[in-house]
């Protein structure tokens, strides 16, 4: 089982649609969770952290279910500018103290006019 | 506030050669991590440096080595380049190991021919 698995893409949605991305992780000891956004041939940029209580930032809502080791990202009212690859990221926070990030392969989103 | 800067932006090397990539961390960040992103994949953790010492390493062979300097800038060195080393190399800086998220540089695209 891969450490971080994401929905296979690509997702092609019309403007204004609601789209949801799902992600599972294998290390139950993981402590920190993030969604990053990566535009074509650019670096990943932090979209939002994910907390157990769920968190919202404008049109974006992230949820974490530790029992199921499952993370989600919901984008409402999709904009053309949301087109990008969305990376699910887990920080295993290992006992050695290394804060390495483990990335999923990413899910590509294309918002269509 | 200065972000993470990497140099060079693009590089072409021949198999068997050695390469050094450079990274300046964001102002105030004391931790630097290096990631390799092959085409169509998520970034893979190479290693992290904290206070000039290696603070964790991913599944990469010893020919991948690094340094961190007192000003927190860092270098990634790769010896005996192989064709599969062709990738986008990303540097990310953070505070105190990275539990609160990372800031990525725009990367160095290395092509090995």
């Amino acid at each position: 089982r891969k450490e971080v698995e994401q929905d296979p893409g690509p997702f092609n949605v019309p403007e204004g649609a609601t789209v949801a991305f799902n992600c599972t992780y294998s290390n139950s000891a993981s402590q920190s969770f993030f969604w990053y956004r990566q535009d074509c041939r650019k670096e990943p940029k932090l979209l939002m952290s994910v907390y157990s209580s769920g968190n919202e930032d404008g049109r974006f809502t992230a949820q974490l279910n530790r029992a199921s080791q499952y993370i989600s990202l919901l984008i409402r009212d999709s904009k053309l500018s949301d087109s990008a690859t969305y990376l699910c990221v887990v920080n295993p926070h290992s006992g050695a103290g290394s804060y390495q990030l483990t990335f999923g392969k990413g899910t590509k989103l294309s918002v269509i006019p | 506030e200065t972000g993470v800067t990497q140099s060079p932006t693009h590089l072409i090397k021949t198999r068997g050669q050695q390469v050094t990539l450079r990274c300046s961390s964001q102002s105030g960040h004391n931790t630097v991590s290096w990631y390799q992103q092959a085409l169509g994949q998520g970034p893979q953790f190479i290693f992290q440096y904290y206070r000039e010492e290696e603070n964790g390493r991913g599944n990469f062979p010893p020919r991948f080595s690094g340094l961190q300097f007192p000003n927190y800038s860092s270098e990634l060195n790769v010896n005996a380049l192989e064709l599969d080393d062709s990738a986008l190399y990303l540097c990310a800086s953070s505070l105190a190991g990275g539990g609160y998220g990372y800031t990525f540089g725009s990367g160095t695209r290395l092509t090995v021919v």
Side-chain angles (χ1 to χ4, degrees), chain A residues 2 32 34 36 38 41-46 49 87 91 96-106, chain B residues 35 37 40-45 48 55-57 88 90 96-102 104-106 109:
Chain A
K2 291 185 179 178
S32 306
F34 310 93
Y36 275 74
Q38 187 171 27
R41 303 184 73 83
K42 300 285 189 182
E43 74 275 20
K45 292 185 177 178
L46 179 65
S49 301
L87 297 159
N91 181 342
S98 170
Y99 290 76
Q100 65 185 70
L101 298 180
T102 303
F103 287 78
K105 286 182 67 172
Chain B
Y35 289 80
Q37 187 174 23
Q41 303 294 317
Q44 298 291 311
F45 175 71
Q48 181 182 89
N55 183 40
R57 187 179 182 93
L88 179 67
L90 294 160
Y100 298 98
Y102 290 67
F104 282 85
S106 55
R109 191 164 296 280

